[in-house]
Amino acid sequence: MFSDINMPKLSGVELRNKVHENEDLRLKSIPYLFFTTTAQQEHVIDAYSKSIQGFFVKPSEYSEIKEIVKTIVEYWLKCVSPNYVK
């Protein structure tokens, strides 16, 4: 799940809390990543204290965004989670 920190009505951290509090969603081991325009140290610390799996700053160039997303997807496709079935 990609989330921004700064969203209207519900911040990314608040959304993370809601997802994490939902037992059905938590057991699915859905990766939660922040993909946002800035990385203030307090936001990064707070995010990782909520057990997020990654914090990424959106680059301005489309080609860089595409490369970051590709790297993230490739990582999670190879990662073994509790939902891993062979």
Side-chain angles (χ1 to χ4, degrees), residues 1 5 10 45-46 53 60 64 71:
M1 182 177 292
I5 288 284
L10 187 69
I45 291 168
D46 188 38
Q53 288 76 35
S60 57
E64 293 176 39
T71 300

Side-chain angles (χ1 to χ4, degrees), residues 2-16 32-40 42-48 50 52 54-56 58:
F2 282 85
S3 175
D4 201 324
I5 288 284
N6 303 308
M7 298 187 299
K9 298 185 182 181
L10 187 69
S11 76
V13 173
E14 292 168 331
L15 177 60
R16 169 61 180 155
Y32 198 97
L33 309 165
F34 282 117
F35 200 60
T36 190
T37 54
T38 61
Q40 296 175 7
E42 64 193 61
H43 290 154
V44 175
I45 291 168
D46 188 38
Y48 278 102
K50 306 269 191 288
I52 63 130
F55 196 111
F56 300 88
K58 293 178 200 172

